[in-house]
Amino acid sequence: MDIPVWRRWLKIYAYGGAIILSGVLLFKYTTPSDEKLIASLSPELRLQYEKEKKLRQEEQKELMRVVQETAKSNDPIWKTGPIESPWEKKKGGDNVKNESFFDNVQKTRAEEAQKDELKRIREELDTLRAQSVQKTNEIVTEKKGSSWWKPW
């Protein structure tokens, strides 16, 4: 008893379609949206994400500029664009100093982290100074209220 060929193919398409449909539905309903993913981050990571958002956008703009410049050129992709290969050498045989955009981005990130740390330290120092001034004023008013002949 052979099953007709068209029925076998119908079974194959039905099973294949069910597998693909179940995969698509699982992906759609189990993958979190960007907002949910960001909301699930710890407060420190969320703060870091927000701080670096502008920097990532600048990186993306620079990358798109390089890609557009490369697309306009007829040279191979590894010879175009302002980002030089660290393995290529100059005509004189000297190694190329590759000060690329991404190195600048790393420097910018480090500078921003230093600025944030300095700001935090300055705020702590200001609060300590205010507490010190307040404590000094309390001691001075206490000393003014009592004289040397009335210690009590």
Side-chain angles (χ1 to χ4, degrees), residues 97-109:
K97 173 91 170 119
N98 190 7
E99 188 73 21
S100 68
F101 172 76
F102 300 106
D103 294 336
N104 292 336
V105 167
Q106 292 296 331
K107 287 179 184 176
T108 306
R109 284 183 181 166

Side-chain angles (χ1 to χ4, degrees), residues 76-116:
I77 194 166
W78 58 87
K79 289 187 177 181
T80 57
I83 302 173
E84 297 175 358
S85 172
W87 298 285
E88 289 184 13
K89 295 187 179 204
K90 289 185 178 178
K91 291 181 181 176
D94 297 331
N95 285 336
V96 175
K97 173 91 170 119
N98 190 7
E99 188 73 21
S100 68
F101 172 76
F102 300 106
D103 294 336
N104 292 336
V105 167
Q106 292 296 331
K107 287 179 184 176
T108 306
R109 284 183 181 166
E111 289 171 359
E112 285 181 2
Q114 283 180 341
K115 287 178 185 176
D116 290 343

Side-chain angles (χ1 to χ4, degrees), residues 22-34 36-37:
S22 62
V24 168
L25 290 175
L26 279 172
F27 177 76
K28 182 178 179 182
Y29 290 110
T30 59
T31 305
S33 66
D34 291 341
K36 287 181 182 177
L37 190 61

